[in-house]
Amino acid sequence: MVRDISLLVYHSQLFPAHWGLWIPSAGNPTVGKVIHVTGDSFSGFGHELKRGYSTVNTDRKPDLFLLANVEDRHIVDTPVCGVDTIAVDDIERIALATPAPVKSLNQASGEVWSPLPVLSLRCLFTKFDFALVAAGIFPEAAITTLDNCPKN
């Protein structure tokens, strides 16, 4: 059996869009897990696995862009809801092995300013996507799809 995996995009008029990898559960396509990073350019970013996440029970409505149809042997659904950083399947292991963006701005000093965090978050997903393609989990077409997804 194959499972759809999509890029989840939360748009913003002021900031770059927030991206996450959306993997719906086998039993309910509106509930699943989101693999993404959280943080900021002052303190850096960290991986986060949101389990039991609902795309319909949220105030922010995301857009979904299909990246790949993946064999279900690469995906493990867990009955646990919540947030953690412990990989239980191939996709999560590759995600956590892809380094999250580091701190790139100095807080309140005014000495350093860089658009690097935006580029780094996009770069993170590009590296993650390439790693999934290299592992044979995603098709090469996923790279083109990711490149064409909205940035805001």
Side-chain angles (χ1 to χ4, degrees):
M1 183 173 146
V2 296
R3 308 261 297 269
D4 291 346
I5 297 184
S6 300
L7 184 71
L8 177 141
V9 178
Y10 286 103
H11 300 280
S12 172
Q13 293 181 356
L14 300 176
F15 301 102
H18 184 81
W19 285 2
L21 196 68
W22 167 244
I23 304 173
S25 66
N28 182 348
T30 64
V31 175
K33 61 184 160 187
V34 174
I35 301 172
H36 70 141
V37 296
T38 62
D40 59 54
S41 55
F42 295 110
S43 57
F45 294 83
H47 293 90
E48 188 174 86
L49 307 170
K50 287 179 159 180
R51 303 183 192 285
Y53 185 80
S54 171
T55 57
V56 294
N57 292 334
T58 178
D59 293 336
R60 299 172 59 198
K61 300 299 178 197
D63 285 333
L64 298 174
F65 298 88
L66 181 65
L67 292 175
N69 300 108
V70 174
E71 295 176 31
D72 61 358
R73 65 185 170 96
H74 297 294
I75 303 167
V76 174
D77 290 333
T78 63
V80 177
C81 292
V83 177
D84 67 56
T85 57
I86 301 168
V88 298
D89 62 30
D90 295 337
I91 294 170
E92 292 177 8
R93 278 187 279 284
I94 291 171
L96 296 179
T98 306
V102 296
K103 174 183 172 178
S104 61
L105 294 177
N106 288 338
Q107 203 165 22
S109 70
E111 295 174 16
V112 178
W113 184 90
S114 168
L116 185 59
V118 175
L119 299 174
S120 293
L121 288 174
R122 290 181 194 154
C123 187
L124 167 72
F125 270 92
T126 302
K127 288 179 182 178
F128 179 34
D129 207 29
F130 271 103
L132 290 167
V133 170
I137 297 173
F138 274 20
E140 286 187 33
I143 295 167
T144 304
T145 303
L146 185 70
D147 286 342
N148 293 326
C149 285
K151 310 298 188 267
N152 286 56

